[in-house]
Amino acid sequence: MPYVEKDHFNRDMNYVPDRITRDGRDGWPVEPGRYRLVAAKACPWATRAIIVRQLLGLEDVISLGMPGPVHDEDSWTFELDEGGRDPVLGIEQLREAYVARFPDYPRGITVPAMVDVPSGQLVTNDFPWITHDFFFEWSDHHREDAPDLWPAAVREEMEDVMQHVFTEVNNGVYRCGFAGTQGAYEKAYRRLWDAMDWLEERLAGRRYLMGDTITEADVRLFTTLARFDAVYHGHFKCNRQKLTELPHLWGYARDLFQTPGFGDNTDFDQIKAHYYRVQSDVNPTGVVPAGPDPDVWLTPHGRG
């Protein structure tokens, strides 16, 4: 699992650092059809990569394998596929791709993962760089009308915004959910809601985080917001308010959800199954809640 449980939550950010680049400097050159993105819709970090792949029009260039939402301590598995095997890689567990390259791989098996199809080996699971490189390294293969997810004019500020979103919101909900003491939880709760209030204020005067167009920053925030009421509000005790009670963030989240690439890659059943069934230390009964009603995501957002 990508976290360490003590009194305070700390995310393990030690990933395989290889990158797929135009010049192939790490031994993995950009090559259409060669690589498979393995990414579960249950996982927010993996869903980022699925969304960016679609926004940029890379579906015919990088194939997609999708594990199911429930995994054990050993690996993500392909129970959604016929026979329980990924149809391209021919494996039952994502771990098989990891050990094909690193026979004694010592860390958790995480998604997203880029796998080299000819060898069946993991290339990288370094999730921030995967979407970065989809934009910069695979640009020759983007569709003609692909959005500029890293606009040069705001890139420096965007990096700061994304870092704040990562530490305080993407990780902030986990910091609340896996706090080991009351004091650690209350500190995490205050940090999260300080950031949520900052976002609510920022989005009062602009359609998206960086202005009038969707950027990578929006993708990174969206996957947390999409899980907020369904999981984080109750399961992780992030319960000062629901997302639906924050007018600017809620309108913004629906605006993105109703944009191709976002809502169609958001599976609330898989999301709830993953958090409520896998994280048995937080939810020992394994009971998965029936709500909330996903149809509220299709109501008018008023941000056009």
Side-chain angles (χ1 to χ4, degrees), residues 10 53 62 65 91 101 121 137 188 210 212 218 245 289:
N10 292 289
R53 170 180 172 270
I62 301 168
I91 57 177
R101 183 168 176 207
Q121 295 182 354
E137 302 297 333
M210 303 311 303
D212 295 329
D218 299 299
E245 297 167 347

Side-chain angles (χ1 to χ4, degrees), residues 82-94:
E82 185 177 355
R85 289 184 178 274
D86 179 272
V88 172
L89 299 173
I91 57 177
E92 296 180 345
Q93 295 186 322
L94 180 56

Side-chain angles (χ1 to χ4, degrees), residues 193 196 200 225 228-230 233 241-251 253-254 292-293 295-297 299:
W193 283 104
M196 293 289 280
E200 177 73 1
L225 297 182
F228 201 89
D229 287 3
H233 180 272
Q241 290 166 277
K242 296 177 181 176
L243 178 64
T244 54
E245 297 167 347
L246 299 164
H248 301 302
L249 271 166
W250 175 226
R254 279 176 292 158
D293 182 357
D295 288 346
V296 297
W297 284 88
T299 58

Side-chain angles (χ1 to χ4, degrees), residues 49-117:
I50 298 173
I51 292 171
V52 170
R53 170 180 172 270
Q54 181 171 335
L55 290 176
L56 298 177
L58 294 172
E59 297 99 318
D60 294 333
V61 179
I62 301 168
S63 67
L64 176 63
M66 290 191 290
V70 179
H71 62 77
D72 56 26
E73 293 183 359
D74 194 45
S75 182
W76 292 84
T77 58
F78 295 94
E79 69 267 21
L80 300 180
D81 291 310
E82 185 177 355
R85 289 184 178 274
D86 179 272
V88 172
L89 299 173
I91 57 177
E92 296 180 345
Q93 295 186 322
L94 180 56
R95 172 175 289 277
E96 296 174 57
Y98 277 66
V99 299
R101 183 168 176 207
F102 304 105
D104 299 317
Y105 188 75
R107 315 191 75 82
I109 305 302
T110 62
V111 289
M114 293 293 289
V115 179
D116 177 50
V117 174

Side-chain angles (χ1 to χ4, degrees), residues 110-183:
T110 62
V111 289
M114 293 293 289
V115 179
D116 177 50
V117 174
S119 67
Q121 295 182 354
L122 173 75
V123 176
T124 183
N125 60 349
D126 197 345
F127 66 90
W129 283 107
I130 288 174
T131 53
H132 174 281
D133 291 343
F134 280 179
F135 182 77
F136 287 101
E137 302 297 333
W138 291 83
S139 59
D140 290 343
H141 305 284
H142 293 178
R143 68 164 189 264
E144 290 185 2
D145 62 344
D148 183 357
L149 296 181
W150 293 76
V154 298
R155 195 172 299 162
E156 184 174 353
E157 181 191 4
M158 190 177 85
E159 293 275 10
D160 292 338
V161 168
M162 291 192 301
Q163 182 62 24
H164 192 61
V165 166
F166 174 68
T167 60
E168 305 306 303
V169 180
N170 300 147
N171 269 344
V173 293
Y174 283 83
R175 198 178 294 115
C176 290
F178 288 99
T181 65
Q182 187 68 33

